[in-house]
Amino acid sequence: MRLYAARPFFWSLLAVLALVAGCAGAPAATGRSAITLDPVSSPDWAEDMRRFAAEDAVTAPPARPVVFTGSSSVRLWRTLAEDFPDVPVLNRGFGGSQLRDVAHYADQVAVRYRPRMILVYGGDNDIDAGRSPQQVLQDFRALIARLRRDLRDVPIAYLSIKPSPARANQLAAQQQANALVKAEAAGMEKVLFIDVSAPMLDAAGRPRAELFTDDRLHMNGDGYALWRTIVAPYLE
């Protein structure tokens, strides 16, 4: 009689254990931290990744570098080592890229180097391609989540979208994206927002033409010299 009477309890216990096991095997809801990305903006980035691998094979990258990555404003910063001689730096910019591209290729441009710090420039080409400031924010969140998956304590700095004469008509959208990302970064641990945009505007709020090459989009030596003075205090 005792065994028979215990059967309902036994079967109830099995049901509870099965439910617990099922919950344990289900993927946890990650909410806003879930990494959701649109496809890469171009298949051409695969060639850049092969180029980076080839460069690493020829010349070993520095140990625990400060990695600079993002679009052409980083790729064309050819004086990085001269500008920051006391810091091991590594340039992994790939021109034309957008924030989501950096997230897709995070391992190739950042994670595998086990960096001491990562500086990212993005959002410029995103806005130009028609993505909204809100999409830039979502891609920023996804990028941080992707980097944090492997690099939990590494400081990450976002360089604000720069104003340029060639894209002066996009300035309002750029500034909105910058404001959204700045507010988001303020609530994250070891995520910095570096404002390179405000010093690149003149007294009337227009992009300073003297900081740019003839294409009015990419910076000249004066532009990079300005960036150097802004970025230097943040480097570790």
Side-chain angles (χ1 to χ4, degrees):
M1 291 295 293
R2 288 180 182 175
L3 179 61
Y4 180 81
R7 283 178 181 175
F9 171 79
F10 175 75
W11 293 115
S12 297
L13 178 61
L14 283 182
V16 171
L17 290 174
L19 179 61
V20 170
C23 291
T30 55
R32 196 174 71 180
S33 64
I35 303 174
T36 56
L37 288 168
D38 289 338
V40 294
S41 64
S42 170
D44 294 342
W45 312 142
E47 179 59 33
D48 288 274
M49 301 308 121
R50 287 189 287 270
R51 174 171 57 84
F52 294 149
E55 290 176 3
D56 291 344
V58 173
T59 304
R64 299 195 65 245
V66 173
V67 171
F68 286 71
T69 188
S71 60
S72 57
S73 291
V74 170
R75 181 178 64 84
L76 297 173
W77 198 342
R78 299 187 177 97
T79 59
L80 270 181
E82 301 169 23
D83 291 341
F84 308 109
D86 298 325
V87 181
V89 296
L90 183 64
N91 190 323
R92 283 297 173 259
F94 49 118
S97 62
Q98 299 179 23
L99 273 179
R100 68 183 190 270
D101 301 321
V102 179
H104 274 289
Y105 290 108
D107 185 69
Q108 292 92 329
V109 300
V111 173
R112 66 178 170 184
Y113 299 110
R114 298 298 164 190
R116 67 181 65 191
M117 186 176 187
I118 302 169
L119 287 89
V120 179
Y121 180 76
D124 196 338
N125 294 322
D126 312 49
I127 296 293
D128 186 59
R131 291 179 78 76
S132 69
Q134 289 74 22
Q135 285 175 306
V136 171
L137 173 62
Q138 292 297 335
D139 290 342
F140 170 77
R141 288 171 174 166
L143 172 60
I144 299 301
R146 171 62 190 90
L147 292 172
R148 283 287 176 254
R149 195 171 75 190
D150 294 299
L151 305 171
R152 302 185 65 86
D153 298 316
V154 172
I156 303 168
Y158 175 84
L159 303 175
S160 65
I161 302 172
K162 73 180 192 305
S164 62
R167 294 177 177 174
N169 63 321
Q170 300 170 18
L171 185 57
Q174 291 173 347
Q175 291 177 331
Q176 184 181 355
N178 283 337
L180 290 171
V181 172
K182 180 179 181 180
E184 186 74 10
M188 295 177 165
E189 291 188 11
K190 294 188 176 182
V191 178
L192 307 170
F193 178 90
I194 301 179
D195 185 8
V196 297
S197 54
M200 299 183 74
L201 296 173
D202 63 19
R206 296 184 299 261
R208 294 170 55 190
E210 72 272 15
L211 300 176
F212 293 86
T213 63
D214 291 341
D215 69 5
R216 305 171 71 243
L217 175 61
H218 298 101
M219 292 183 294
N220 58 25
D222 291 338
Y224 283 112
L226 176 62
W227 275 29
R228 182 189 67 235
T229 61
I230 297 169
V231 170
Y234 293 91
L235 298 191
E236 298 186 353

